[in-house]
Amino acid sequence: MAYDSFNILKSTAVPLPIENVDTDQIIPARFLKATERRGFGDNLFRDWRFNQDNSPKENFVLNNSSYSGKILVGGYNFGSGSSREHAAWAIYDYGFRCVVSSFFADIFKNNCLNIGVLPVQVSVDFLNKIFEKIHNDPNTEIEIDLPKQKITIESIAISEIFEINSYKKENMLNGYDDIDYLKNLKSEIQDFALKTPF
Amino acid sequence: MKKTLFDKVWDSHIVKSINNGPDVLFIDRHMIHEVTSPVAFLGLEKRKNSVLYPNKTFATADHNTPTLNQHLPVSDPLSRKQLQALENNAKKYGISYWGLGHEKNGIVHVVGPEYGITLPGATIVCGDSHTSTHGAFGAVAFGIGTSEVEMVLTSQCIMQTKPKKMRISINGKLNNGVTPKDIALFIISKLSTSGATGYFIEYAGEVFKEMSMEGRMTVCNLSIEMGARGGMIAPDEKTFNYIEAKEYTPKGDKWKKAMKYWETLYTDENAIFDKEFIFEGSEIDPMITFGTNPGMGISITKVIPKKEDIKGSIETFVKSLNYMGFNEGDTMIGKPIDYVFIGSCTNGRIEDFRAFAKIVKGRKRDDKVTAWLVPGSHKVMKAIKDEGLLEIFEAANFKLREPGCSACLAMNEDKIPAGKYAVSTSNRNFEGRQGPGARTLLASPTVAAAAAITGKITDPRNLM
Ligand code: SF4
């Protein structure tokens, strides 16, 4: 399922300075009953965002109108737990294109890259600076430059380089995914299959 | 070059390596269930692709299924629709399908090994993070996302970068009352939930050599809870005995040929791991968790740590204790509990029910405790009956439910009510995992049994 290509993103950001945010929080299991990929954004962080009677929880950041933007900034070990791609879909569908953290869980990171959400891993120090800066000024803009692999907060003139392997980067820049690649490899795969022991 | 067990299996499945990119990895076995596959099939259709090797994919319904009255139509319309979608997709593409009520039905990671779908040296994936379970057989097995499910359906391959390698050795003997679940909770408490992120684990040492296949599955199952891509154990006599003559295991000459490959599956002496941990079996006690991630576990006789002893963020720690309704420094023993859940792909196999039966035999369930006993599969359910465990359970006032994931993720009706305490043999104690507001304490079947009998957290060794 192709997604919009990603190049340079400049946006305000939403801070969530909690560690070990797991995918059960990002999208609780009871919302995984869909047979189509639709409407997951409405249930993003459902139980942190809404009371059981569906009224919004005032102290949760997504209900705080001072914060908005296409970048979600999370604490250490973001996206741990369940492999549900629904978590990445919920983030994308809500309107985020990028998640910044000092550490990501493996499967979540893969899922994000596969559907067009860019996970940007920064140093603990840089992450704390982002939290501090957006706490003081929610209108702070962050620039994510994928071609240069660079994240910048212009207003305080700091930036950092982030890692992404060149294959995934190419995909993100073009909005491609792996299936296009694998389709073209069909005959090689079929030859390989003949040699497998079971 | 000296290779680890993991290198041998991974490297022999590389169709192609991309420079500064992922490997194209051939997948021998793919398991699917109703929750993470429908969108993958939709994608397949949208792109007008088909399933390349339908005989390498196996479908079972488990996440969303009721555990009572499975012979009746599923009452929740959304669940019904999802189950129907799985059945339709399996039929349409010629994938073997073990739906609700089928004699082979059960939790995907329980039925795979039961029927010999899980094999040593195989690459196994499923859209479920606990696919790491199958590593107990010396397979490279790990969870994938829905986009990757579509990749496997289309091409029998996925594209991932090779993880780093970690070895966790536990030597010596175990203390009385210590089970594989305690070992896993102990390791996670040492490494934290992110301590193995980016790694594939090999478990080694005497303790794992001595361990049953079922125990190995429990340990490998929980690898993901320390962030690892997966965990595995070198296959041995026990492994081969377990899989021999199962329905999908190779037979005759094919078995012999496979055996030749399987006998090469061990870590070469002097092979290099990126990280190593070594523990002594005697360090480990029966464990229980007090917080909202599986790394927040302690020996059952210990007290909840104080803020100043916490390595990570204090704010996150406090949030977690508030959710649980516990205080720093609290003793775990004696805390009242409301629910007990035994089941899931972590502890829903026959050995787990035997361990549970051993404690509850001749005793009675505490009236205040609601207990859900959910076998991991129909085969497990049948064994519970055949071995006479059901009579023991019933005499102790327990009822047996029908197989499925159940309260492990509470997608069906089996939800722990808000604020209630559940001792659970499953794998995740995240906020709301077992139902909105539910408070989960992860433990072994033995600890769960002691809690069910006494109505509070109890050291199971006192009941042995
Ligand atoms: S029992 Fe729990 S962890 Fe295992 S497959 Fe089912 S939902 Fe996933």
Side-chain angles (χ1 to χ4, degrees), chain B residues 33 62-63 107-109 128-130 221 343-346 404-406 408-409 426-428 433:
Chain B
H33 59 83
D62 57 1
H63 280 61
I107 303 172
V108 55
H109 312 309
D128 183 281
S129 56
H130 292 93
N221 173 281
S344 86
C345 58
T346 308
C405 293
S406 179
C408 175
L409 90 164
S426 55
N427 39 57
R428 285 180 176 145
R433 170 78 176 186

Side-chain angles (χ1 to χ4, degrees), chain A residues 1 32-33 85 106 177 183, chain B residues 47 49 76 82 146-147:
Chain A
M1 229 156 283
L32 308 185
K33 293 188 182 186
E85 196 167 297
D106 242 357
D177 65 16
K183 276 287 278 185
Chain B
R47 298 182 203 239
N49 288 336
D76 174 31
Q82 210 170 40
T146 297
S147 296

